Amino acid sequence: MDGLFDFDAISDPGTPPGGLPVPAQRRTLRRESGLTGHQIADACGVSEDTVRAWERGSATPRGDTAAVYRHLLTALDARRKGTAVPQPPPAQTPDWAALGTLRHEIPILAADHAPCRRCQQPTPHRVGGHPQHLGTRCPAPDAGRPQPVPPAPQSPSAPPTPAAPALPAQRLLSQPGPTVRLTYPPIKARGISDGPLAVLEASPSGLIVHLADGRTRLCPADDLRGLLAWAVKTPLGAAPVRREALPPGPLLVLTSTARARLALPAGLPDPAARHPRSDHPLLQQARAIGWQTDADGLGPWTRLYPSTGDPACDRIHLAVTDWGALHHDNWNLPEQLTPSELTAALGQYTALVRTPLGPPGACGHQLMRDLRPPARRHTATGALLTEGVRGALTLSVDPAPCEAPPGHQLAIHRTEQDTLADTDIDWWRKPAPDEVDRAYVVCLAVNLLHLAGSNEIRVADGPAHHIHHPPFDPKRPGSWLVDLSSVPSHPLLPPAFAGTGLAWHTTPAVAYAALRVGAAQVQPVQGWLRPAPTSPYLAPWYDRLRLARLTVLERLGITATMDTPSLLAALAHLPQADPLQRALLHTLHATAQDAFAALAQPPAHPDQAALAAWPTPKEPTWRPDLRAAVIANARANLHRKLARTARSGHFPLAVAGDHIMYATRTPHLTEITDSPDSDFRIGISPGHVRPVAVRPLHWYTARCAEGANPAQLLKDTCPSW
């Protein structure tokens, strides 16, 4: 029963604990200082939700955190009254850099403080024994430099010096502007009649806005603040992918001329200036109206939202083409596209997939959440935004030690034998005696190897449990320590499993072994298994991407109902087809393939990028175990097809992921696919195959003599679609 009562929390209601002002005064001090809850949280080393609770009076700071908060509020009150404040002890010093430009009006840190190892500015805090600002509190690179001395006032008799007219290109980004906070209407009050995105270009009369439906408008903005003010008043946006999901925020694409008109830098800011808490002029403009970036800070794709809003539903996406968005991050869109053509391409992608928010892999990863949305409440108001659906991932869980990607804190002291063995096939061999008289080698590729079959993978929403000697269950997701060397393999086929001896394998790999030798022959020694209820999490995601790809292929004149000769002729003509649709097709491939990599990608936040070992991201959809299961399932499906096709006497010469090479007597792929026992089918659906290249056999043997995988060479050099 002791846990029901917290006697330390009981205090005299007339005397605030620890000498702190009452909650209403805390909130007033912050607002009158022009600070956001995020900045106060950064200065105290707590979350923004904690600061809200302090200002509501529903929670009370304790220990050193209370002292830090008290010193911060005292400094803000002293600044308002114009009085001085004593320097707090190092352990109780707020991180003044979190206050932005306001920190220059706060007592300066003592000179004997050690310099931060990231920004070289003094700090009393330490991380891992080294002086370093906490969290996202590094000051701007020029914060420690002396401020310019203002010019001395001229005598009354001296004529005033005329100021030189400022050109638009010379306009200072940090010039004073309006301090009125910009509010974003609630979700239900936002219109979407102007479509999901806008591409902006500059003209003599101002910014021209190209909408997805072909219309154009004028935008009166001259800087980032004006652009955001225009965006929140314009009915830009899109409906959610499904009824239970959150609507994506609008996308604003800035072309080169629009970037110059808004006085944005020509190049991407350096890493220190990109930090969400830096004093970069663009971030100052956003903070002046109560907006901020997410944890990724400034970049080719920047997400901005009001400080009092929810970043999941109140954000506006900003893509700057001069900083690398859309042309150099796997979108592969032609750079010579006109703004109207670029708008049409992005509008088509939005209709097929979702509103772009970053590289294609990030869009594909977000689409998984859109199609399986969990229940979510607004972080500021607590209002229920979505009710969620069955099969959604809601828990942020650590991976099993064998599943952790390199760089994760669970992989620091791990040996190679304790790492998952499942990888794509990378294998080649020299031609057999009965193959040396064949004149050609043909290379085929499996359409979206990893996507094919991913809709059948079962996913559990919960952590993995360590079990000794578990009986194998093909319906239980997880990783198994098992010896699969007893599974027979043909010398002219690649190995079915990447590991040798006792190794860790995911459920799809062990299920394939049990199918070949019988479940009784598979005896796992250990397992990291997830007993929570399972669901085919990727099934709706697979269906949406498959239909999107078929739609683009149909625009290119390729349909699933074509006979084989017509299909091969259409594929041969594809390099001369519409370049915009071909670029869109390539983007769809990257959306599918790179989304699997995003399931296990390391954190890209500025605070975590330099960490030697990083923790599990707080995202339920960060699931390296799911990525490993997808790879194992793709390898098993491909090996099954290779083994069945070998019954007709056709054995692969080389395999590199989804590219396969065969020795043939004719320069035609149909020699393989038309054989009676072939398990490969020419087509356009995921899992079907397409021709890649034909080479003479002596070309293959020459590459083998060089020690290279010929299939990998063709994969790297031959264009995909």
Side-chain angles (χ1 to χ4, degrees), residues 525-551:
V525 178
Q526 298 179 44
W528 282 95
L529 310 180
R530 293 169 173 81
T534 64
S535 66
Y537 175 74
L538 296 177
W541 182 77
Y542 167 88
D543 292 336
R544 188 173 183 91
L545 290 182
R546 176 181 175 274
L547 290 176
R549 183 172 175 276
L550 293 178
T551 300

Side-chain angles (χ1 to χ4, degrees), residues 671-686:
E671 182 177 334
I672 304 298
T673 58
D674 289 351
S675 59
D677 295 317
S678 176
D679 207 27
F680 292 111
R681 178 184 173 185
I682 299 176
I684 60 176
S685 294

Side-chain angles (χ1 to χ4, degrees), residues 677-702:
D677 295 317
S678 176
D679 207 27
F680 292 111
R681 178 184 173 185
I682 299 176
I684 60 176
S685 294
H688 290 175
V689 298
R690 66 184 188 276
V692 175
V694 180
R695 296 290 187 270
L697 184 63
H698 64 79
W699 176 91
Y700 179 87
T701 56

Side-chain angles (χ1 to χ4, degrees), residues 11 66 71 89 95 124 139 225 242 264 275 310 319 336 350-351 427 465 525 531 609 614 649 666 682:
S11 60
H71 285 300
D95 210 330
R225 290 173 292 195
R242 58 178 298 169
L264 271 66
H275 201 283
D310 189 323
Q336 66 274 15
T350 300
W427 170 91
H465 298 270
V525 178
W614 38 271
T666 63
I682 299 176

Side-chain angles (χ1 to χ4, degrees), residues 402-403 416-424 479-480 482 484 496-506 509 628 631-632 635:
C402 60
E403 300 166 347
E416 186 177 353
Q417 291 75 17
D418 294 331
T419 306
L420 276 178
D422 298 328
T423 59
D424 287 322
S479 301
W480 313 76
V482 59
L484 302 180
F497 312 102
T500 58
L502 200 63
W504 286 97
H505 297 275
T506 56
I631 293 175
R635 180 177 183 130

Side-chain angles (χ1 to χ4, degrees), residues 407-604:
H408 191 275
Q409 59 186 12
L410 293 177
I412 299 176
H413 304 295
R414 183 181 61 189
T415 63
E416 186 177 353
Q417 291 75 17
D418 294 331
T419 306
L420 276 178
D422 298 328
T423 59
D424 287 322
I425 299 177
D426 184 4
W427 170 91
W428 60 273
R429 63 176 176 85
K430 295 182 179 179
D434 62 337
E435 295 172 331
V436 295
D437 60 343
R438 300 180 186 179
Y440 305 97
V441 287
V442 297
C443 182
L444 58 91
V446 181
N447 299 331
L448 298 175
L449 173 66
H450 293 140
L451 180 67
S454 63
N455 57 329
E456 303 171 355
I457 295 178
R458 310 292 296 187
V459 183
D461 183 27
H465 298 270
H466 190 211
I467 303 175
H468 290 276
H469 301 287
F472 177 66
D473 181 1
K475 297 182 180 180
R476 180 61 52 209
S479 301
W480 313 76
L481 182 62
V482 59
D483 186 355
L484 302 180
S485 58
S486 61
V487 179
S489 61
H490 195 284
L492 298 182
L493 286 175
F497 312 102
T500 58
L502 200 63
W504 286 97
H505 297 275
T506 56
T507 298
V510 184
Y512 181 51
L515 184 66
R516 298 191 63 185
V517 299
Q521 301 296 321
V522 177
Q523 299 293 333
V525 178
Q526 298 179 44
W528 282 95
L529 310 180
R530 293 169 173 81
T534 64
S535 66
Y537 175 74
L538 296 177
W541 182 77
Y542 167 88
D543 292 336
R544 188 173 183 91
L545 290 182
R546 176 181 175 274
L547 290 176
R549 183 172 175 276
L550 293 178
T551 300
V552 175
L553 285 172
E554 186 174 355
R555 295 173 185 168
L556 291 167
I558 303 174
T559 64
T561 58
M562 285 181 166
D563 56 22
T564 299
S566 301
L567 177 59
L568 292 175
L571 292 176
H573 182 69
L574 194 58
Q576 290 76 42
D578 183 358
L580 193 58
Q581 294 301 320
R582 285 191 288 113
L584 190 57
L585 181 63
H586 174 90
T587 302
L588 289 176
H589 286 183
T591 301
Q593 296 297 108
D594 296 351
F596 293 123
L599 289 169
Q601 68 183 3

